[in-house]
Amino acid sequence: MAAPIITEPRVAGSSAFTGLAEILAQETRGLEEFADLLERQRGAVRTSDRELLEATTEDLDRLLLRIGRLADQRQSMVDQLSGHTGERLSALIHTLGASAPLALTLAHDALRQAAERAARTSRINSVVIRRVLDSERTFLQSLFREGPAIGYPGSQTATPSGVLLDRQG
């Protein structure tokens, strides 16, 4: 008697899941580039390299557009695979349970980690840029403030003298 052939159960649409895993990998690379660009941008702010700052801003614009398109493509694929519009990827993977392809699960984990890093880096950049802007605003205010600053020698207000003329009256 011949031994029975044992096959692993195939997940329906496994090529679709492979395609989804590839989209997730591309999104992950995009988010990693995003975090790297933010770090370069922070370095440009630190060194006052205006040229690099402008270049990173343009690169960020293009990259965000690409990441947005990939996210739309991912959502479309998740909608098709789940049969529900607006289904989250994590919900789809949870529904699949143990039959979820390993490549898809690993790609989802990598995307989540890249998104967390990008979010941390973005928060740091926001704080740095806010501090730079506050510093510049304070500097400009000190340049255009009338008279000496309060608290410095000679900053006491002088007693009013002279006559105030009203041209209209």
Side-chain angles (χ1 to χ4, degrees):
M1 183 156 129
I5 299 174
I6 300 173
T7 59
E8 294 182 18
R10 290 188 52 130
V11 176
S14 62
S15 64
F17 287 115
T18 302
L20 180 57
E22 178 55 35
I23 294 295
L24 296 178
Q26 289 177 29
E27 258 188 290
T28 299
R29 284 190 297 276
L31 287 171
E32 289 168 347
E33 286 179 46
F34 176 74
D36 292 343
L37 271 171
L38 289 176
E39 289 172 358
R40 283 184 31 216
Q41 191 176 58
R42 198 167 51 241
V45 168
R46 184 177 46 250
T47 61
S48 299
D49 187 343
R50 187 174 191 91
E51 225 174 89
L52 179 59
L53 185 60
E54 288 178 14
T56 57
T57 301
E58 290 172 9
D59 290 344
L60 281 172
D61 289 343
R62 283 191 294 274
L63 186 58
L64 287 173
L65 183 61
R66 188 176 99 211
I67 291 171
R69 286 181 182 156
L70 287 168
D72 290 345
Q73 192 173 357
R74 170 181 35 96
Q75 188 59 53
S76 175
M77 292 180 83
V78 169
D79 291 348
Q80 288 174 353
L81 290 168
S82 69
H84 303 288
T85 302
E87 181 86 12
R88 291 182 31 212
L89 176 61
S90 57
L92 174 65
I93 292 174
H94 178 73
T95 301
L96 292 172
S99 65
L102 181 60
L104 180 62
T105 305
L106 292 174
H108 178 249
D109 290 343
L111 178 62
R112 184 181 39 76
Q113 291 171 358
E116 289 170 355
R117 176 180 173 233
R120 275 191 309 273
T121 306
S122 180
R123 281 192 303 269
I124 291 169
N125 271 36
S126 293
V127 169
V128 167
I129 290 173
R130 192 173 302 119
R131 285 181 184 167
V132 167
L133 291 174
D134 288 346
S135 174
E136 285 181 356
R137 190 175 303 116
T138 302
F139 176 72
L140 288 174
Q141 286 173 353
S142 72
L143 286 177
F144 296 106
R145 186 178 295 144
E146 291 188 62
I150 296 174
Y152 290 97
S155 65
Q156 290 75 19
T157 56
T159 55
S161 63
V163 179
L164 178 64
L165 299 175
D166 184 6
R167 290 183 182 198
Q168 293 183 7

